Amino acid sequence: MPSLKQRAACIGIATSPLSVRRDFMGQLTNSVPVSVRQQVDRLGSKFVHVNCIQVGSDQFTSADFVEIDRAVARTRDLYAAAGRSMGVGRVQHFVISTADARGRDVINSDGEAESLTDEWTVPNDALDLFLVRMYVGSTAGLSRVDGPCDKDAKGMDGSVVEMNAGGGLSDFATAHELGHYLGLSHRNNSTALMNPTIPNGGVITTSEADNMRDHCRMKNPC
Amino acid sequence: MSVLIGSRKDRTVSGAIAALDGKPTTLTTGTAIGILVEAAAASPGSQAGKRATTALTKALTGHEEPQVRVAAAKALGRIDAPAAVRALRRVADDEVDGQLVAAASEGLARLGTRADTRRLTGAADRATWEHAVTAAGVSTRLLAHRLGLRLDPADVALRLPGEDAPTLPVTGRIKARIHDVELPVPRKAAVPDPQWAALVPSDAAPVGAFDCGGRTHVVLATGDPARLREAPGVAGALLGTNESMGTTYVRWVVLTRPEGDGVAVTVARPTGEVGFVGTGSWGDDGSLTVTVEAVDAPGATAARATATLRGRTFTIDGRAERALTVPRLVPAAFAPR
């Protein structure tokens, strides 16, 4: 049975000192129940690292932090329950202040979401997930389908998701948009995670999971 | 690709108003504002449109969440109705919150009249937050192009962010050709998104598309380029596509102003950040040929392209580096409060 420290080292987290909840699980609060044992097991499947980037970070509240934690936990659960299991590995948190965001903390069009990812990135091997508190319009996120892994490549190199504290929808939206980036398109089936309406059944089929597992952002099992 | 939020029952003007009032619904606040603005923009004079505009005005002035007030200001900037314009003008005249001033300025660039240039200049002078100063200046400039108002090219307050940055020479070993491609969406679907439609000439139509390093741009061009000889204007826009929703959105607007015998060209995001600058010249047959180069900005790629618009025919040729020339900005690591 692999140890926590082995798994932490495998996903590139310093093991000394190691905060299990913050570093290994990537949680910002103590509010969302998580299972360390389960996460250790899940890293035995293919997984993707994620950078959670708060845009307009000084306006994020403790309720938003809980929502982010819930989104990460839900995405892990949905990906683990996929037709072929996957994981979310290292989750690290970053911030863009309201001043530095220059108006992009309130996204008013898909073009602005794209601009955000054009201008910012975390130079590591994780998928950039830009979290905004307000995405005006009938949609609540934007991502490329089958996004690139080279962060020096042109074009949208991350996903943008509205983090609506208390709305209880950001978790599905996060899993959905990351699903796009990892290669999935929309489906009409109402139980599918990739159904464009949120919330949905959250199901990822085996063939979808195979598609995601083949994405260049996916890491081999620990 | 995107996700849709909310049940069909809640995706109504009443549902959106309830959500903004804090009542439990399946809508997020951003979605609620989106529903209201769509209703009001589509039919500002209808009962539903008036209710939606009133709700947005109320959110602009009274909502407890600063970002909801900002989102309401941005939304009102899409509603071509006197009540919406009045609300934006009040913010530009009196508001001290820089984020609101910036959002209202954006709206006035789309809806304002000649008289609003003075108002926006005043807002830029009064604002203390750097982004608000920039946004008010950008909006003045965009408004001038939209309405064809004469500009003083030397006025630093009217320069767009990055417009005076050095251009990036294409020197990388691996280059991509910038070339014409088929339209990636049906012609009818190639339209500016409602957020920025007012910045694009109403007679603009799709004239082609081109690929630049794997990214496709749909080109909308004015049907009357000759007017660009006389005054600042908007020659057209470059659109991106959201394949799953079948929609397009404004990625860049192409601004021109007369310079010598030709035009100075600035290709900017609709929020004002400049991506490319160059010059254009007129052909004997009325065609317009422009050459632009990328400017130094975070996430920019060196590129140089020459495009010609002849009637409704568009051609382009150029080179770009395959990878980014200027690194993107890097967010700071999160530090628990």
Side-chain angles (χ1 to χ4, degrees), chain B residues 81-266:
Chain B
V85 178
R86 274 198 305 273
L88 294 174
R89 285 176 174 155
R90 273 197 300 273
V91 171
D93 286 341
D94 304 326
E95 186 57 59
V96 291
D97 180 332
Q99 282 187 282
L100 271 183
V101 172
S105 300
E106 273 184 19
L108 287 174
R110 300 192 287 264
L111 299 176
T113 61
R114 177 185 288 265
D116 289 304
T117 54
R118 184 177 294 239
R119 172 173 279 110
L120 287 168
T121 304
D125 290 343
R126 214 179 54 252
T128 53
W129 192 45
E130 187 187 338
H131 175 62
V133 177
T134 305
V138 163
S139 298
T140 313
R141 172 74 178 273
L142 293 176
L143 183 60
H145 279 272
R146 182 170 72 78
L147 299 177
L149 308 177
R150 301 243 170 237
L151 294 169
D152 174 4
D155 187 344
V156 290
L158 292 176
R159 303 299 283 170
L160 295 175
E163 196 164 23
D164 298 317
T167 55
L168 299 168
V170 183
T171 57
R173 279 192 306 133
I174 305 175
K175 302 182 187 69
R177 185 162 170 238
I178 300 169
H179 60 98
D180 308 285
V181 295
E182 293 291 313
L183 274 179
V185 292
R187 188 163 286 272
K188 269 189 182 170
V191 293
D193 47 337
Q195 287 86 335
W196 303 110
L199 288 183
V200 181
S202 56
D203 64 353
V207 292
F210 66 91
D211 184 90
C212 178
R215 184 178 258 195
T216 302
H217 306 265
V218 174
V219 183
L220 293 188
T222 175
D224 181 21
R227 70 184 164 76
L228 304 174
R229 291 174 187 260
E230 310 301 327
V234 181
L238 307 181
L239 309 182
T241 55
N242 182 331
E243 308 98 318
S244 66
M245 310 305 275
T247 54
T248 48
Y249 52 87
V250 176
R251 188 177 272 155
W252 302 100
V253 286
V254 183
L255 310 173
T256 64
R257 61 181 166 77
E259 187 177 73
D261 292 336
V263 289
V265 181
T266 301

Side-chain angles (χ1 to χ4, degrees), chain A residues 112-133:
Chain A
E112 280 187 273
E114 188 182 75
S115 298
L116 188 60
T117 71
D118 280 350
E119 291 164 355
W120 295 86
T121 195
V122 180
N124 63 14
D125 60 349
L127 203 163
D128 291 338
L129 174 66
F130 293 85
L131 306 172
V132 295
R133 296 185 73 241

Side-chain angles (χ1 to χ4, degrees), chain A residues 108 114 119 133 143 176 196, chain B residues 1 3-4 67 195 249 251:
Chain A
N108 195 33
E114 188 182 75
E119 291 164 355
R133 296 185 73 241
S143 184
H176 179 103
Chain B
M1 294 221 181
V3 289
L4 287 168
Q67 284 179 313
Q195 287 86 335
Y249 52 87
R251 188 177 272 155

